[in-house]
Amino acid sequence: AQTVTQSQPEMSVQEAETVTLSCTYDTSESDYYLFWYKQPPSRQMILVIRQEAYKQQNATENRFSVNFQKAAKSFSLKISDSQLGDAAMYFCAYREWGAQKLVFGQGTRLTINP
Amino acid sequence: DARVTQTPRHKVTEMGQEVTMRCQPILGHNTVFWYRQTMMQGLELLAYFRNRAPLDDSGMPKDRFSAEMPDATLATLKIQPSEPRDSAVYFCASGLGQGGQTFLYEQYFGPGTRLTVT
């Protein structure tokens, strides 16, 4: 079974600085999707960024970018120019190609220090 | 601004009572998911539907949980009887699937129902 591991239960960063959240996963599949979701105190799960495993180029969405290392099964999220509104739980998730189920990591709580 | 809605947002009930949670998926989405979030287990998939038909409910305790889609605009998750260990946040998510089961765009999550069973 696929598993997703986020080894950092908590992270903190100064406002305007850059922070990287780690995620590793275990799968025997070659085609799959990886996601980062943000969950602010409102509990709403918000999709931050998506990466298709067949794409070598790392996905980028404004201040958010990923470092996808397929051989290492690593998928880290970099947040540049951190803002107070970035404070939230961040979940890494995996979905096998052709499947519907998302497998989530345990989450990383990110605090932004003003 | 299309979004998934869930009711109620909060529910406190006593052990043994029936609980019904409702979800309205985004109009046009044909795939609906129910997830449960707890501190111990994290986020786990309970069940999901495609075109109102249940495709996978292997994550759901069958003896007390049931999930249905009476129509394309309403999904329900029912717990009867409820137990304290059911206390969690229950999320509904919807997405647009095409090509049978082989392709699904992103899942969009609702705000969740926080259930407390005393």
Side-chain angles (χ1 to χ4, degrees), chain B residues 17-31:
Chain B
Q17 297 297 306
E18 178 179 297
V19 174
T20 298
M21 290 168 273
R22 294 176 174 80
C23 167
Q24 182 173 17
I26 292 173
L27 188 65
H29 283 186
N30 61 356
T31 309

Side-chain angles (χ1 to χ4, degrees), chain B residues 72-93:
Chain B
T73 64
L74 176 64
T76 62
L77 180 66
K78 187 175 297 185
I79 308 174
Q80 168 62 20
S82 58
E83 297 180 1
R85 59 179 168 153
D86 300 329
S87 297
V89 179
Y90 291 82
F91 287 99
C92 174

Side-chain angles (χ1 to χ4, degrees), chain A residues 1 4 7 21-22 41 55 71 86 93 98 106 111:
Chain A
V4 177
S7 59
L21 309 184
S22 301
K55 290 186 178 179
D86 296 333
Q106 288 297 98
T111 301

Side-chain angles (χ1 to χ4, degrees), chain A residues 33 35 37 39 42-47 50 91 95 97-106, chain B residues 9-10 33 35 37 43 45 48 50 89 91 101-107 109-112 114:
Chain A
Y33 297 96
F35 306 84
Y37 280 88
Q39 186 179 40
S42 67
R43 295 201 310 263
Q44 181 77 50
M45 294 286 288
I46 302 165
L47 177 66
R50 179 185 75 175
F91 292 93
R95 195 180 89 220
W97 183 271
Q100 317 302 313
K101 175 181 176 179
L102 280 170
V103 178
F104 287 91
Q106 288 297 98
Chain B
R9 292 294 309 276
H10 305 272
F33 303 81
Y35 289 89
Q37 184 179 32
L43 274 154
L45 178 68
Y48 74 91
R50 172 67 60 85
V89 179
F91 287 99
Q101 298 187 46
T102 59
F103 186 77
L104 178 72
Y105 295 92
E106 283 85 359
Q107 299 178 27
F109 284 75
R114 180 179 292 279

